[in-house]
Amino acid sequence: MAKLIRFKLFNPAIFLVFLRQVYFTGVQIMPIFFPISLIIGIALVGLLTKFLVGLGAYEQIGQILTILIIRELAPLLTAVLLSLRSSTAVSAEIAVMNIMGEVDTLNAYNIDPVDYLYLPRIVSGLICMFSLATFFSFIAIIGGYFVISFQMNITFDFLLTLIFDYLNFNDIICFLYKTLMLGFFIMSIPIFTSMSVKNANTEIPIALLKGMMRLFYGIIFVEFTGFLI
């Protein structure tokens, strides 16, 4: 944690590693992430809002969408997608580096692997998790609005007003807690697990399985503790 606080982001070599990881984690996933966000918005936000409007429960729209999208689905689904794509890749990458002796080479040149390899990936996980979860929330709401706008006389401003009228400090804290904790787990758990791989390539799939299981438990932990906020 102390190293994370003193992260040397503006070191040119470290900054380059950080940018590459942000590009891989947060940018290259967009062709998959965007349509999923849109489809969920159309399927859940649009149809659910239409159902509530049909019942005349306008006052419940903001509450349900805030809980469903911002507190629950945005962090959870973003974490699942990043886990399947980025966590496995990082785990395999670190495991191969250990087997090939690259980490030992860094130590031999007095380059701290924590600063050069691990922290750039962890910080990128924090940033990408928060950014993508925020993006997911907006795209899901916009996608849902497209469904109801063609059938009902509801403006986008009115829909946002219903959400922001219900959104409170606890919801924002919950969103921040989940995105940052999940972003930390998504990168740190695979890295920590893969550090134990030393001898043979046959250890890599074992480390991948262990890392994903531990990450699964981490996601459950964050979701459970998030209910307490």
Side-chain angles (χ1 to χ4, degrees):
M1 184 59 69
K3 282 184 173 291
L4 182 61
I5 296 174
R6 298 194 302 267
F7 177 51
K8 303 172 184 178
L9 177 61
F10 296 105
N11 180 295
I14 294 175
F15 186 67
L16 182 60
V17 175
F18 168 75
L19 285 182
R20 287 175 177 172
Q21 192 61 47
V22 168
Y23 176 73
F24 173 76
T25 303
V27 177
Q28 289 188 335
I29 199 177
M30 291 306 295
I32 300 173
F33 193 80
F34 178 81
I36 290 177
S37 304
L38 192 61
I39 291 171
I40 290 177
I42 292 173
L44 289 180
V45 179
L47 298 179
L48 181 60
T49 303
K50 180 181 177 181
F51 175 74
L52 293 173
V53 170
L55 294 178
Y58 286 93
E59 69 281 358
Q60 302 298 322
I61 294 176
Q63 177 182 358
I64 293 176
L65 292 185
T66 299
I67 295 174
L68 182 65
I69 299 298
I70 298 176
R71 289 182 65 105
E72 300 301 332
L73 285 182
L76 179 59
L77 290 182
T78 302
V80 170
L81 291 176
L82 289 183
S83 298
L84 294 175
R85 185 179 187 276
S86 298
S87 297
T88 52
V90 168
S91 181
E93 183 182 22
I94 299 300
V96 170
M97 286 182 176
N98 275 319
I99 292 175
M100 299 300 293
E102 296 180 33
V103 176
D104 293 333
T105 301
L106 291 175
N107 287 320
Y109 282 97
N110 292 322
I111 300 174
D112 191 346
V114 175
D115 290 333
Y116 183 73
L117 291 179
Y118 308 149
L119 287 183
R121 288 163 173 78
I122 293 174
V123 174
S124 72
L126 295 172
I127 294 175
C128 292
M129 179 65 202
F130 172 79
S131 301
L132 289 173
T134 303
F135 179 79
F136 178 95
S137 300
F138 280 105
I139 294 301
I141 293 171
I142 291 173
Y145 171 72
F146 283 151
V147 173
I148 61 177
S149 64
F150 292 110
Q151 302 177 3
M152 302 178 182
N153 188 24
I154 295 180
T155 65
F156 187 62
D157 290 341
F158 177 71
L159 181 60
L160 287 182
T161 300
L162 292 176
I163 295 174
F164 283 110
D165 281 348
Y166 179 80
L167 188 67
N168 56 42
F169 183 73
N170 284 344
D171 296 321
I172 296 174
I173 293 298
C174 181
F175 180 80
L176 289 174
Y177 167 76
K178 285 188 174 183
T179 54
L180 294 180
M181 285 294 292
L182 289 172
F184 179 77
F185 285 163
I186 282 170
M187 290 299 177
S188 62
I189 291 178
I191 289 173
F192 173 79
T193 305
S194 297
M195 288 170 61
S196 62
V197 177
K198 297 293 183 182
N199 300 317
N201 291 334
T202 54
E203 297 181 36
I204 295 178
I206 298 175
L208 285 174
L209 180 59
K210 286 183 179 179
M212 293 307 293
M213 287 301 299
R214 290 171 179 173
L215 182 54
F216 174 73
Y217 294 139
I219 292 174
I220 292 178
F221 170 79
V222 173
E223 285 296 313
F224 177 77
T225 53
F227 284 116
L228 303 178
I229 300 177

